[in-house]
Every structure is written in structure tokens, then in C-alpha cells.
């Protein structure tokens, strides 16, 4: 649909930006913090930065929040490190860790920035992993308790809560993220048992948030529209199958409290259906999110599976589409360009994803990640010229306004990332932030902050409420 006139962004629209704890905070073993599975990773490529210091946000939080205020942010989506708050995941609460997030929230509010708190962003406490991780039912109880610790401490100041970041990516691409693979005789079935435990834990956490007056909560998966490779009906079926496995398995359970039927049939076909204990379905049904948050970087294109099995194609990194025999094959989309790191870029697919989500769930939508990773260069005069990032973000903001005009209820936009942080895959070589952090893979340099050209562009965009792009 081509609109004659575009609707303005809603007056309450939250212009924001995002980070995650393990990628930005550093201070990995300070003030009582316990190790997470990300701290314990041993599979990072040689020469790629780890998370020991990251962007040193833990020690520079006030400076970083001041930069966010200068940028004009109306929201900041961050995550809490579970092992900073409860070092072993289910034992004693660490007062120093909890106090850090209290100071962060207070600093944001003092600058008029809405905190958007993510409870869990990949970094399971290593002590829980050693006891079985998400394969253990005890982790479900531990997560509910952790959620209640957070709401008790911060619920009077935090209105927007996110449960689990990109649960679907952890399940589908866990190895690429550094998530430890499950053991046992059937690891793939165990992955979907872990997924079920996360869904139950998420539902219980949403119930905990709803006990806080005025608090709102939602899931935060990575959602992307899926195109059929052609108008061949078999390609269309493959696209719908992959969308169910990649997207709707997670959100149907989070929003409606039930497993998606196509995804459930897929799990049955593979022998991967999880064990469901008494009370689990009641917990899922009681979740009832107030909005849906989602991360979007690119779309997917798939075709019908070939007799010879999976076929490589599509975008790179965690979005690598290898395909699955009997289900789909990943293909590259000839209508899209790719970034320097091989990710397909599809701003129009962003609009399509908005429409699919809103049509399916009729809940307000909050974008919690969207951005372009690139090897930015700090010039001698302290400038960083990133026109490629500005173009990427401008094209995606254009499509948000198209979606708003389509009738989609959009709460806000929190692109990735507020400042440079350690990429899960390429360390400091792949930068996303509006603010440049002066360090590289092995040399911490000064860790000073520098405003990129995109910083100034986004500040003007926010100041004009999206009118000047």
C-alpha cells in the first residue's frame, strides 16, 4: 500500500537505544559479581576481545548516561547481569550489584530517560549452568525468584520490563552465541526442553511484573518476516514452516500461552517435543504480556527442501540459513544488498514484520534492537564518519512510519547500540554504537568516548520527532 500522507509518530513514541550487560559493562569479577556463561566462554576466536572490560560502562555509567541525555534519548533498553545480582544464580543477593542498577535507573530518570529493563540477555550464571542450566527445572524457579528480586528493588522506578532477549536465537543458533550445548543422548530434543523451561520461566516472570502497580512487561525475541523463494506453492509452505519454527513457536506461547500447531507438529515429527509437567500450561496461559518487544536486523528467504538435503544460503552470522532436510532450504535474496559483514539488509521487511506481528497479536510493539555493525574508524580529530549507519537507520525509521500509517501501534524504537560494545562474534571489530569507544581487541587504549556522525543525526531525528531524516 502506498500512502498519500504518512501519519506522524505518536506523541509518546520512545526514541531510544539499547545495550546488554555482558557486552558493555566490564567489571566482570568486581563488587561480588559471579561468572556467567559468557565470562566462562573458551571458544572465542584468538585475538577477539572478551568481556572482562568490554566498554567499561560499569565504571563510566554516569558519563554514558550523560551522553544518552545529550543524544536526546527518551528510553534506554539495557539488561541486568543475573550473576551480578545473584552471583550463583539462586543463592544470596549481592547488594553491590543490585545497587549498581539502582544508580543506573536513578541516573536515567534524572535525565528524563525511560528505563527499559531486560532481565536476561544470554548470560546465565555459570553456577546454574554447572547444575544443568536450562535443562534443570530448578533454573525455572531460580529465574522466577530473580525476577521477583528485581521487581522488589526496582519496580517503583521501572515501568517497562523485558523478560528474555532472543530466546529463539539461543535455541536455534546457540552455538554461534557461545551458549553451551546440552548433553545427553538427544541434544536437539534437550534444546527444546530447555526452550520449554524458558517459556515457563518467562510466564512466571511476567506474572511477577504484573504484581507491580503500573508495570508493563513483554517478551523480546528476534523476529523477521520470511519470504518464499518463489511463487511455487512448495516454497510458500516452506516459508510458513520456517516462520512457525523461527518466530511463532516462541511468541504464540508467550502471548497466547499455547504452542504453535505447525511448530508442535514439527517437534513431534522430529521426536523433540518437551516433557510438560502439571501446571506448566496454566503458567503459560497466565503470562499475558502487555506488549511485544522484538529485535530485527534482516529478513529471511527460504525455499522447499531439496532431495539432497540442506543447502547453504542467506545472511551470515547468527542469521546463517543452512536449511533443514524435509523442512526448508535457505537461499539468498537477489533483491537485497548486504552489509560489510554479509548480513542482508531489508528495511521494507521491517514494515512487513511490524504488520505481521500486530495482525497476529494486536499488542503494542517495541523495537529493542536494529542496527548496522561496521568497522568504524576514529579519525585524528576525534570524528567518526559512519554514513552507512545513518543510511541504514534512516531507511528503517522510514519503514516504521509506514507501519504506523498502516495502523500498527508502535511504542518506540531502541536501535542497537547506544555505545560501542563487544560484539558476540567479532569483538570490537564490529561496531554498532552512536558513540565510539576507544579500544580495540587487545589494547584497551583510553576507553574514551567519541560522538559519531550518526550520534548527531539521531539527536536531530529525536529532536524533530522523526520529521528530519
Amino acid at each position: 500500500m502506498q500512502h498519500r500522507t504518512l501519519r506522524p509518530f505518536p506523541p509518546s513514541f520512545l526514541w531510544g537505544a539499547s545495550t546488554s550487560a555482558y557486552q558493555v559493562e566490564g567489571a566482570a569479577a568486581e563488587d561480588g559479581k559471579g561468572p556467567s556463561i559468557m565470562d566462562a566462554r573458551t571458544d572465542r576466536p584468538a585475538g577477539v576481545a572478551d568481556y572482562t572490560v568490554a566498554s567499561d560502562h560499569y565504571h563510566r555509567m554516569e558519563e554514558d548516561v550523560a551522553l544518552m541525555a545529550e543524544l536526546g534519548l527518551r528510553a534506554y533498553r539495557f539488561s541486568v547481569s543475573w550473576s551480578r545480582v545473584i552471583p550463583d544464580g539462586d543463592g544470596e543477593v549481592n547488594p553491590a550489584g543490585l545497587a549498581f542498577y539502582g544508580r543506573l535507573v536513578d541516573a536515567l530518570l534524572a535525565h528524563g530517560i525511560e528505563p527499559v529493563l531486560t532481565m536476561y540477555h544470554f548470560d546465565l550464571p555459570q553456577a546454574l549452568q554447572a547444575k544443568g542450566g536450562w535443562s534443570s527445572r530448578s533454573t525455572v524457579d531460580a529465574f522466577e525468584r530473580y525476577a521477583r528480586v528485581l521487581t522488589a528493588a526496582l519496580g517503583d522506578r521501572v515501568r517497562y520490563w523485558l523478560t528474555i532477549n532472543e530466546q529463539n536465537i539461543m535455541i536455534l543458533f546457540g552455538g554461534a552465541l557461545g551458549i553451551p550445548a546440552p548433553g545427553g543422548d538427544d541434544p536437539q530434543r534437550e534444546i527444546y526442553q530447555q526452550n520449554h523451561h524458558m517459556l515457563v520461566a518467562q510466564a512466571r516472570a511476567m506474572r511477577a511484573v504484573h504484581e507491580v502497580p503500573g508495570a508493563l512487561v513483554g517478551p523480546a525475541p528476534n523476529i523477521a518476516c520470511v519470504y518464499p523463494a518463489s511463487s511455487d506453492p512448495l516454497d510458500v509452505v516452506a516459508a510458513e514452516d520456517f516462520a512457525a519454527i523461527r518466530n511463532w513457536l516462541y511468541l504464540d506461547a508467550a502471548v497466547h500461552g499455547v504452542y504453535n500447531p505447525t511448530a508442535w507438529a514439527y517437534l513431534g515429527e522430529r521426536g523433540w517435543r518437551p516433557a510438560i509437567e502439571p501446571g506448566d500450561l496454566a503458567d503459560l496461559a497466565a503470562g499475558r504480556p502487555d506488549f511485544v518487544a522484538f529485535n530485527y536486523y534482516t529478513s529471511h528467504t527460504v525455499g522447499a527442501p531439496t532431495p539432497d538435503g540442506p543447502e547453504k544460503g542467506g545472511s551470515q552470522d547468527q542469521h546463517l540459513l543452512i536449511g533443514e532436510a524435509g523442512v526448508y532450504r535457505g537461499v539468498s535474496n537477489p533483491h537485497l544488498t548486504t552489509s560489510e559483514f554479509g548480513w542482508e539488509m531489508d528495511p521494507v521487511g521491517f514494515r512487513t514484520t511490524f504488520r505481521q506481528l500486530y495482525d497476529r497479536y494486536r499488542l503494542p510493539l517495541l523495537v529493542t534492537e536494529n542496527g548496522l555493525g561496521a568497522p568504524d574508524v576514529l579519525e585524528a580529530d576525534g570524528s567518526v564518519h559512519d554514513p552507512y549507519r545513518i543510511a541504514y537507520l534512516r531507511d528503517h525509521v522510514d519503514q516504521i512510519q509506514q507501519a504506523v500509517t498502516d495502523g500498527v501501534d508502535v511504542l518506540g524504537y531502541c536501535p542497537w547500540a547506544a555505545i560501542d560494545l563487544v560484539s558476540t562474534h567479532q569483538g570490537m571489530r564490529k561496531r554498532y554504537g552512536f558513540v565510539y569507544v576507544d579500544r580495540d581487541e587487545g589494547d584497551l587504549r583510553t576507553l574514551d568516548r567519541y560522538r559519531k556522525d550518526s550520534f548527531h543525526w539521531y539527536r536531530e531525528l529525536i529532536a524533530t520527532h522523526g520529521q528530519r531524516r
Side-chain angles (χ1 to χ4, degrees):
M1 185 188 308
Q2 295 180 338
H3 299 289
R4 293 190 181 92
T5 304
L6 295 177
R7 292 184 186 177
F9 290 93
S12 59
F13 193 84
L14 295 173
W15 296 101
S18 297
T19 65
S20 82
Y22 77 91
Q23 293 172 273
V24 75
E25 285 179 3
E30 294 185 34
D31 293 340
K33 179 185 177 297
S36 75
I37 60 173
M38 291 302 173
D39 299 318
R41 283 185 66 180
T42 59
D43 62 342
R44 294 190 67 76
V48 174
D50 63 19
Y51 309 113
T52 305
V53 176
S55 302
D56 200 33
H57 174 69
Y58 188 80
H59 297 114
R60 299 168 184 250
M61 179 266 290
E62 289 85 0
E63 175 188 358
D64 290 340
V65 172
L67 281 167
M68 295 176 201
E70 181 185 339
L71 184 55
L73 295 190
R74 300 180 185 179
Y76 173 48
R77 179 267 203 173
F78 62 96
S79 75
V80 171
S81 168
W82 187 346
S83 62
R84 193 179 294 284
V85 172
I86 306 175
D88 65 359
D90 61 357
E92 295 296 319
V93 174
N94 176 26
L98 203 54
F100 169 74
Y101 295 107
R103 293 194 304 273
L104 171 58
V105 167
D106 288 344
L108 292 170
L109 293 174
H111 286 285
I113 301 172
E114 191 81 51
V116 180
L117 187 154
T118 306
M119 297 180 185
Y120 176 53
H121 191 125
F122 303 161
D123 51 351
L124 185 73
Q126 178 61 24
L128 289 183
Q129 179 64 33
K131 294 190 288 187
W134 283 107
S135 291
S136 172
R137 290 288 304 195
S138 63
T139 301
V140 177
D141 297 330
F143 187 75
E144 180 183 6
R145 175 177 175 258
Y146 165 58
R148 292 185 179 279
V149 167
L150 293 181
T151 55
L154 303 172
D156 61 333
R157 287 162 286 168
V158 175
R159 184 184 185 202
Y160 293 99
W161 295 78
L162 309 177
T163 52
I164 299 176
N165 176 77
E166 292 192 345
Q167 178 177 335
N168 55 335
I169 302 302
M170 284 191 281
I171 297 302
L172 293 168
F173 304 103
L177 299 174
I179 306 295
D185 297 332
D186 192 346
Q188 197 64 27
R189 183 186 183 281
E190 192 60 37
I191 284 176
Y192 283 100
Q193 187 66 57
Q194 292 180 351
N195 179 64
H196 178 72
H197 290 163
M198 286 189 203
L199 291 172
V200 174
Q202 172 175 255
R204 291 188 189 176
M206 287 194 285
R207 186 170 58 197
V209 172
H210 284 143
E211 294 173 7
V212 178
L216 303 172
V217 64
N222 180 305
I223 301 297
C225 61
V226 181
Y227 304 125
S230 75
S231 56
D232 183 334
L234 292 178
D235 287 348
V236 174
V237 170
E240 293 197 354
D241 286 345
F242 185 64
I245 295 165
R246 189 197 186 282
N247 297 330
W248 315 135
L249 166 60
Y250 306 90
L251 276 180
D252 282 6
V255 177
H256 298 314
V258 296
Y259 273 91
N260 175 272
T262 302
W264 191 250
Y266 162 79
L267 295 177
E269 176 73 21
R270 293 293 192 266
W272 296 340
R273 284 180 179 169
I276 298 176
E277 296 194 6
D280 285 357
L281 297 182
D283 281 339
L284 291 179
R288 301 191 312 277
D290 302 291
F291 60 91
V292 170
F294 73 104
N295 302 344
Y296 175 91
Y297 290 94
T298 185
S299 57
H300 291 297
T301 305
V302 305
T306 61
D308 296 331
E311 182 175 318
K312 291 186 178 181
S315 297
Q316 304 302 308
D317 218 304
Q318 71 212 57
H319 301 284
L320 177 67
L321 283 183
I322 299 174
E324 185 173 347
V327 185
Y328 70 93
R329 59 184 169 87
V331 300
S332 298
N333 191 324
H335 303 287
L336 303 178
T337 59
T338 59
S339 72
E340 186 168 344
F341 285 90
W343 289 33
E344 290 179 343
M345 296 181 289
D346 184 9
V348 176
F350 198 22
R351 177 188 184 186
T352 299
T353 302
F354 272 111
R355 291 166 62 154
Q356 289 179 348
L357 284 170
Y358 195 63
D359 182 63
R360 192 175 187 95
Y361 300 114
R362 287 297 195 278
L363 288 174
L365 303 179
L366 175 64
V367 180
T368 42
E369 288 185 29
N370 172 244
L372 180 69
D376 302 330
V377 176
L378 178 65
E379 304 292 348
D381 62 358
S383 62
V384 179
H385 305 302
D386 56 344
Y388 38 83
R389 181 168 294 109
I390 293 172
Y392 177 97
L393 295 171
R394 178 188 291 120
D395 289 347
H396 284 76
V397 170
D398 287 346
Q399 294 303 315
I400 298 174
Q401 190 168 15
Q402 292 284 347
V404 168
T405 308
D406 291 334
V408 178
D409 184 356
V410 185
L411 285 174
Y413 178 58
C414 297
W416 187 262
I419 69 173
D420 283 346
L421 35 69
V422 179
S423 168
T424 304
H425 309 91
Q426 285 92 13
M428 295 303 300
R429 187 166 63 92
K430 188 179 186 182
R431 297 173 181 267
Y432 282 89
F434 293 111
V435 175
Y436 186 96
V437 176
D438 183 27
R439 66 156 296 181
D440 64 15
E441 304 300 339
D443 185 353
L444 294 179
R445 297 182 186 164
T446 66
L447 290 167
D448 287 346
R449 275 62 168 149
Y450 295 88
R451 299 159 186 80
K452 301 179 187 179
D453 288 353
S454 59
F455 179 100
H456 303 292
W457 171 83
Y458 195 44
R459 181 174 60 187
E460 184 172 9
L461 180 80
I462 295 171
T464 63
H465 205 54
Q467 294 181 17
R468 295 194 63 178
R469 301 203 279 276

